[in-house]
Structure formats: structure tokens, C-alpha cells
Amino acid sequence: MYYTPQDHEASITIRPARANDAEALRRLAQRDSASVPDGRLLVAVADGELRAAVSIADGEGIADPFHPSAGLARLLSARAAQLRGSADGLRPPSGSA
């Protein structure tokens, strides 16, 4: 199933994981029957809830199986791949706007 805005009008934020996301990441991993990926993570927050996360370093991810999250996972994976191509992982390359 693909996630499109027509499926659900959600407010979506993609951002680096923060220290205060630790408990939400543990719950998300538990729902996904997985472990929280190692290293720095990007997370997708939809309607105020953390729904997916991906490791910037290796692309390993977790997602909420009880919500449409395949599209969120693809967005996170694409952004993580972009960040892996930048010098320090979280800042855009020099000269970009």
C-alpha cells in the first residue's frame, strides 16, 4: 500500500531524532518487532506521533505496522541517502541554498 495525502490528511515532519524521542523509538521498535537502529536517526512524525525511523548511516529502519507507513519509510530512506552524501550528515553541501 502506498501512502498518499489522499489516504490520510496528516501533518508530516521529517527530522533528526532527539534525545527525548528515546521512549517513542523503543515503543515503535517493539510494535515493529525489531530493534531501534544504531547511530543517528531520522524520524517521521505524523499527526504528532513518531511513525517511522531510519538510520542515516546504513538505512536500517523501523515503522509502525498499525498505520500506513511505507511512504514515510521511503521518504526517510531517500533523505538519509541524501544526508549520507553530505560532508557531516546533517548540513547541506557548501553552495546549496
Side-chain angles (χ1 to χ4, degrees), residues 10 17 24-25 37-38 61 63 91 97:
L25 285 164
D38 292 327
R91 295 182 188 204

Side-chain angles (χ1 to χ4, degrees), residues 12-37:
I12 298 169
T13 301
I14 293 177
R15 61 169 173 78
R18 302 174 186 143
N20 62 348
D21 291 324
E23 183 57 35
L25 285 164
R26 281 191 288 277
R27 285 192 307 268
L28 181 64
Q30 184 177 24
R31 281 189 295 248
D32 198 23
S33 300
S35 298
V36 176

Side-chain angles (χ1 to χ4, degrees), residues 69-85:
S69 54
L72 295 175
R74 284 192 303 276
L75 287 171
L76 285 172
S77 293
R79 183 63 180 136
Q82 289 175 331
L83 293 174
R84 280 192 298 275

Side-chain angles (χ1 to χ4, degrees), residues 86-87 91-97:
S86 68
R91 295 182 188 204
S94 297
S96 65

Side-chain angles (χ1 to χ4, degrees), residues 34-69:
S35 298
V36 176
D38 292 327
R40 296 188 327 191
L41 304 177
L42 285 178
V43 298
V45 179
D47 291 334
E49 291 185 34
L50 200 146
R51 298 276 172 85
V54 67
S55 166
I56 295 170
D58 64 13
E60 181 183 347
I62 54 176
D64 189 333
F66 301 108
H67 293 278
S69 54

